[in-house]
Structure formats: C-alpha cells, structure tokens
Amino acid sequence: MKIEEEIKQSVFKSEYQKAYINVVYTSGYLQQAQSTLFKPFGVTLPQYNILRILRGQYPKPATISLLIERMLDKTSNASRIVDKLEAKGLVTRKQCPSDRRTVDVLITEKGLQLLEQMDSLEGGKGTGITNLSEDEAAQLNLLLDKIRNK
Amino acid sequence: MKIEEEIKQSVFKSEYQKAYINVVYTSGYLQQAQSTLFKPFGVTLPQYNILRILRGQYPKPATISLLIERMLDKTSNASRIVDKLEAKGLVTRKQCPSDRRTVDVLITEKGLQLLEQMDSLEGGKGTGITNLSEDEAAQLNLLLDKIRNK
DNA sequence: TACAAATATATGTACATACATTTAATGTAC
DNA sequence: GTACATTAAATGTATGTACATATATTTGTA
C-alpha cells in the first residue's frame, strides 16, 4: 500500500519528506512483523540482535562496548538487555581478568540452540523483504546508504 | 557510509537481509537526527507527530482513534502521549458531548505557535534526506511501498 | 426494554530508549 | 607515586512501546 493511504495523509511537502516518513514507517512495519514472528521464542528484537552479535563472536566473548558498537540502535542500553538475557540463561557475564572494568559476555549453549531454532524460521521466508527482486533490494541498499552520507 | 561499515558486519545472508537491516538502521539514524534537532523545543518525536496531526485537523478536534489511525507507529499509546502534551498546555482534551466515549483533542494556540517555530527549522534543511535527488527520493518511495505490499 | 456485543479510551506491567550520573579501574602527567 | 583525566559498565529517571485488561458508553437485537 502507498504510504499516503497507510497514514491517511495525501499531501507531503516534498518527495523528501515523504521518503523520510516512508523509511520510518516501513522500519516499524518490518520490525513489528519480525517481533511477532519471534514472540513464541520469548526474546524481544533487541535481545535477538544481541544474541546474533554474540554468536558472531563465539567462542570468543564480547564486551558491552563491542555490543553497543554493533547494535542497530546505538543509543540503547546494552547492559540492561544483557541483564534480561542472563536471567534467561542465554548468556553468561563475567569480569574480564586483564581489564577489570570490562565484562566478558558469552552466549551459552542454550542461547546457540535458541538461535538455531530461530534461524530455521528466518531461513524460510526471511526478513520480510520478500516482494522485491534481488536487483531492487540492491538498489534500495544503495539509496539508503546514500542518505547517511555525511 | 555503507551499512557494512556502520554496524561492522561484512557478511549478510542476502541482499534482502541487508536491506532489512539497512531500513531499520537508517530509520534510527534519521529519527535520532530529528530528535536532536527538536530537543531544544521540549517535545519528543512522538509528541511532535501528534501535534502535526492535530494541526492538520485544526480547528476541528481529533479523537484518540483518529490519532492512532494516522500515527507512524500505530501500536503506540496515544492516550499517554496526549497526557504529556496536555500537561505542557499544547493540547486540550474534553469529553465529546455527542458520544461520551470519545474525547475531543484540540491543539492550543501555544501548540500552534510551537509548531510554527519548529517548521522554520524543518523548512531549511528539512527531513534529513538531503543527499538524494528528487528522482532518487521518488524511487526510494516506490521501493518502500512495494515492501509493504501484502 | 433488556442485554450481549462492539467501541473508545484509559490503565497496568514488562521491556526498551534517551540521557545524565555514578562507580570502579586504568592511563597519564607531573 | 600521587593527582587528574579517561574509559567501561551500571544505575536512575522520564518517556515510549507492546500487549493485556478494565471501564464506560453506545449499538444491535431478541
């Protein structure tokens, strides 16, 4: 559906303003879809993202700083999301001996197994961007990268 | 900057997965920029969005349902955002006489003046999508609309 | 009319975000 | 080596999101 219909606003100041709203709206749309998909697994989207980063590091641990650096939303609070994951037994946290300010966060076997289950879900229909051709997806990536050119 | 560099992940499962992450990341990037811009005015982004909808209706009031329908994030809680705006004197809320279940929310003079100030900000550099040509913005809109084709 | 279903809004709770502050450990200048 | 700045992580607080539930009102229907 066109963005005009989605938010029932027919007039935009410019194609730019429309694009801004469209990016934000589509992001919400995609995240909500994925969040619904993940619900049965008992992890939220931010928690899932942290788990994926940790799997990328595995079997090395990651510090909180590294998690922040790689998170999609850099201003979010990694400490507290790791709290939740730790409470569920999906990660462990222990003080790093060489620099006692930092914390080694490591995904557990249980965490790895959970991700594997969730992968099978993603493997099928994927990320929600199923209506585009590969070329269109690539084109979209170019345009989005260009937006962030500082 | 390319999304690969932004989140320091060099490998994606597909152009689709990359596009998903890119949409979400870029949305956060744009919103954070706008939020920073708006900070001095003492309203958050969701609050600003509600104010804009109310101005669109002015001098007619809007119900909470109408606000939800037009909000970018439809699952958010309009009632509580209106609470905050009311506390700041930017909107008024009163029970509608013809249907006492509904509430008439109306932007105040103070709210209109605030928006006008903020417009001047937006009017200049605009929405953050300043690196695209008009054609590219239009192309982006097409691709994003297509993603949401159910 | 009575009464169940639908609608509009508000509220409770868990989680996350945004941003400032705190605490502890490390690095560096003198 | 003490003093001060820097860094890493945690914590406090206000706001917002997601979702379930509650409350009041209206609508539809037997």
Side-chain angles (χ1 to χ4, degrees):
Chain A
M1 209 193 293
K2 282 186 159 185
I3 188 69
E4 288 91 329
E5 300 161 46
E6 302 268 18
I7 65 165
K8 287 166 179 98
Q9 176 180 339
S10 58
V11 180
F12 294 90
K13 264 197 295 198
S14 65
E15 207 64 29
Y16 301 110
Q17 190 198 26
K18 190 162 134 183
Y20 173 91
I21 290 171
N22 215 339
V23 170
V24 172
Y25 186 85
T26 304
S27 169
Y29 169 91
L30 289 172
Q31 287 193 82
Q32 180 145 7
Q34 202 179 10
S35 170
T36 302
L37 210 65
F38 284 179
K39 192 105 193 270
F41 297 96
V43 289
T44 64
L45 224 47
Q47 289 170 13
Y48 170 74
N49 288 327
I50 296 256
L51 283 179
R52 274 218 320 214
I53 297 168
L54 289 172
R55 179 171 60 181
Q57 290 296 108
Y58 189 81
K60 286 192 300 180
T63 62
I64 298 285
S65 310
L66 184 140
L67 294 178
I68 292 170
E69 191 181 61
R70 307 211 177 165
M71 279 173 76
L72 291 189
D73 189 335
K74 311 232 175 190
T75 69
S76 81
N77 201 322
S79 272
R80 275 183 276 227
I81 299 173
V82 169
D83 283 350
K84 301 291 155 59
L85 292 172
E86 197 180 14
K88 290 174 194 158
L90 301 173
V91 310
T92 60
R93 175 155 48 179
K94 70 173 208 290
Q95 202 178 45
C96 171
S98 67
D99 182 342
R100 282 182 304 168
R101 285 171 306 179
T102 71
V103 166
D104 281 345
V105 184
L106 190 67
I107 189 169
T108 63
E109 190 56 42
K110 186 176 168 190
L112 288 169
Q113 280 170 16
L114 180 67
L115 277 188
E116 212 165 318
Q117 279 187 275
M118 295 176 85
D119 278 341
S120 62
L121 218 72
E122 272 246 291
K125 291 288 264 181
T127 55
I129 307 211
T130 50
N131 296 324
L132 301 188
S133 71
E134 185 128 2
D135 271 1
E136 286 172 328
Q139 202 178 7
L140 178 58
N141 278 316
L142 278 177
L143 289 169
L144 292 171
D145 286 351
K146 200 166 177 187
I147 287 175
R148 299 189 316 273
N149 264 347
K150 295 181 264 273
Chain B
M1 208 194 291
K2 281 187 161 186
I3 187 70
E4 288 91 328
E5 300 161 46
E6 302 267 17
I7 65 166
K8 288 167 177 97
Q9 176 180 339
S10 57
V11 180
F12 293 91
K13 265 196 296 194
S14 65
E15 207 64 29
Y16 300 111
Q17 191 197 26
K18 191 163 134 183
Y20 173 91
I21 290 171
N22 215 339
V23 170
V24 172
Y25 186 84
T26 305
S27 169
Y29 169 91
L30 289 172
Q31 288 193 83
Q32 180 143 7
Q34 201 180 10
S35 171
T36 302
L37 210 65
F38 284 179
K39 193 102 193 270
F41 297 95
V43 289
T44 64
L45 224 49
Q47 289 169 14
Y48 170 74
N49 288 326
I50 295 256
L51 283 179
R52 273 216 323 213
I53 296 169
L54 289 172
R55 180 172 59 180
Q57 289 296 109
Y58 190 80
K60 285 192 301 178
T63 62
I64 298 286
S65 311
L66 184 140
L67 294 177
I68 291 171
E69 191 180 61
R70 307 211 177 165
M71 280 172 73
L72 291 190
D73 190 336
K74 311 232 175 192
T75 70
S76 80
N77 202 324
S79 274
R80 275 183 276 229
I81 300 174
V82 169
D83 283 350
K84 302 290 156 57
L85 292 172
E86 196 180 14
K88 290 173 195 161
L90 302 173
V91 310
T92 60
R93 173 153 52 179
K94 71 172 208 290
Q95 202 179 44
C96 170
S98 67
D99 182 343
R100 283 181 304 169
R101 285 172 306 180
T102 71
V103 166
D104 280 344
V105 184
L106 190 68
I107 189 169
T108 62
E109 190 55 44
K110 186 176 168 191
L112 287 168
Q113 279 170 16
L114 180 66
L115 278 189
E116 212 165 319
Q117 278 187 275
M118 295 174 85
D119 278 341
S120 63
L121 218 72
E122 271 246 291
K125 290 289 264 180
T127 56
I129 307 211
T130 49
N131 296 324
L132 301 188
S133 70
E134 184 128 2
D135 270 1
E136 286 171 329
Q139 202 178 8
L140 178 59
N141 278 316
L142 277 177
L143 289 168
L144 292 171
D145 286 352
K146 199 166 176 186
I147 287 174
R148 299 189 316 274
N149 263 346
K150 294 181 264 272

